[in-house]
Amino acid sequence: MKKLLILCLSFLGLMASAQPKGLLWKITSPKFEKPSYLYGTIHITCDASLAEATKKALSETEKLFLELDMDDPALQMTMMQHMRMSGGKTLKSLLSEGDFKLLDDYMKRNLGMSAVLVNTVKPFMISAMFYPKMIECPMQSVEQELMKLSAQSQKEILGLETVTDQLAIFDAIPYEVQLEELIKSVKNDFVNDKAETAKLYESYATQDVELMYKLATESQNKLTSEYDDVLLDKRNKSWIPVIETQLQKQPSFFAVGAAHLGGPNGVINLLRKAGYVVEVVGNQ
């Protein structure tokens, strides 16, 4: 019996690893006539150009859904309102004097600003300021490219979640953990972060969303490896009702970070569990 169980688990593992690679997925169902599409993005890249099959899929849909409604004129204002730590916590109250000075000096050298100016800001948002250091090129965005094409065809752009929802994630993850990771990155000049980003880019280039999920959840960064339920799973599950409601209305194009597609609680698997056919589109 034990050997049979091991064989079954091995078979399931092979089945999981046999998931076809692809960034563009077609969503179909007897419930609606025209297909919708699911697309995996990468938030910062050196080359945000889209394949013709992706452009064609976008052109065949009525609306573009991103993680956030990025053309919302109130987006920046709302973000400013929710970027501060709760409970009166500050960088100075959470960091030792030495680590605060380390961060302050590093920010002055690399960003031209003092840590004093972001003393109340959630640590993850400070980490995000260093994203351009992750790549050796001018930063591009796949989301921006999708938005540009949508604007050209006057396609409405919407979000699967609000910026308030998204920033609340970084209240759920302890500020101390966020700071621990930020200081760790500062101390080694983001060397580990750059190496992990390079691996993510390699897996994105091969369109391996399962590998991207694996790399995210096995990262040396605790935010993704220990809080993947908050960063990935819970958000994926919250998006499904929004996606399902839209699927019934009109064909739409849903574009989210590629790491959200793979895994047992990934958007692909959750949609299949809900009864939809989700299949990869070739020549992306």
Side-chain angles (χ1 to χ4, degrees):
M1 179 63 71
K2 185 176 180 181
K3 288 184 178 179
L4 179 60
L5 178 60
I6 292 172
L7 285 171
C8 288
L9 290 173
S10 298
F11 178 71
L12 289 172
L14 287 171
M15 290 288 287
S17 64
Q19 172 91 290
K21 295 179 181 180
L23 299 175
L24 180 64
W25 298 73
K26 182 166 66 174
I27 308 169
T28 56
S29 168
K31 299 176 184 178
F32 46 83
E33 292 183 7
K34 295 181 179 180
S36 286
Y37 293 90
L38 175 66
Y39 186 69
T41 70
I42 191 162
H43 299 316
I44 57 170
T45 182
C46 294
D47 181 10
S49 58
L50 302 171
E52 290 304 315
T54 302
K55 294 178 183 178
K56 182 175 183 295
L58 181 61
S59 70
E60 292 173 354
T61 58
E62 301 298 324
K63 291 183 179 179
L64 168 64
F65 279 77
L66 302 172
E67 293 179 22
L68 295 174
D69 181 357
M70 292 176 65
D71 71 343
D72 180 357
L75 182 68
Q76 188 170 356
M77 178 74 70
T78 307
M79 185 173 290
M80 294 291 291
Q81 292 171 349
H82 293 87
M83 66 191 297
R84 293 181 176 82
M85 288 184 272
S86 62
K89 293 184 177 180
T90 65
L91 298 180
K92 284 191 172 183
S93 69
L94 295 173
L95 289 173
S96 67
E97 185 176 341
D99 280 346
F100 183 85
K101 184 178 187 309
L102 180 76
L103 177 61
D104 187 48
D105 290 343
Y106 193 81
M107 290 186 66
K108 287 175 179 176
R109 287 196 308 272
N110 290 274
L111 301 176
M113 63 183 293
S114 170
V116 174
L117 297 177
V118 290
N119 190 36
T120 61
V121 172
K122 295 172 184 178
F124 175 81
M125 298 192 72
I126 301 171
S127 296
M129 295 178 185
F130 295 103
Y131 279 175
K133 286 180 67 68
M134 301 299 103
I135 53 179
E136 303 296 332
C137 60
M139 191 171 71
Q140 297 183 31
S141 165
V142 173
E143 285 83 1
Q144 289 294 333
E145 190 65 20
L146 290 168
M147 289 174 64
K148 183 175 74 175
L149 290 175
S150 296
Q152 290 172 0
S153 58
Q154 298 184 322
K155 197 186 307 294
E156 186 177 6
I157 300 168
L158 297 165
L160 292 171
E161 62 190 5
T162 67
V163 68
T164 305
D165 295 332
Q166 196 168 99
L167 292 183
I169 294 166
F170 302 104
D171 290 317
I173 299 174
Y175 301 137
E176 291 82 357
V177 174
Q178 297 176 46
L179 271 175
E180 178 187 344
E181 292 302 322
L182 173 58
I183 295 301
K184 183 174 71 176
S185 295
V186 165
K187 285 181 177 178
N188 71 9
D189 197 25
F190 285 82
V191 169
N192 290 341
D193 303 79
K194 290 176 183 178
E196 290 197 353
T197 300
K199 289 181 181 178
L200 282 173
Y201 284 151
E202 288 174 11
S203 60
Y204 191 77
T206 60
Q207 305 188 1
D208 194 337
V209 295
E210 291 298 332
L211 179 56
M212 289 197 76
Y213 169 78
K214 184 174 184 290
L215 289 171
T217 55
E218 294 180 2
S219 168
Q220 292 183 42
N221 190 312
K222 291 181 181 178
L223 268 66
T224 54
S225 59
E226 295 186 9
Y227 295 90
D228 55 297
D229 58 328
V230 178
L231 283 170
L232 297 174
D233 295 353
K234 288 182 180 179
R235 293 171 68 203
N236 295 346
K237 291 173 183 177
S238 72
W239 294 343
I240 298 302
V242 182
I243 293 174
E244 283 199 88
T245 298
Q246 186 58 29
L247 290 174
Q248 309 304 321
K249 293 180 179 179
Q250 57 194 163
S252 298
F253 192 100
F254 303 93
V256 299
H260 288 278
L261 269 56
N265 293 307
V267 177
I268 292 171
N269 199 38
L270 292 176
L271 284 172
R272 286 173 173 167
K273 284 183 177 179
Y276 301 95
V277 176
V278 186
E279 53 193 348
V280 72
V281 178
N283 299 318
Q284 300 168 56

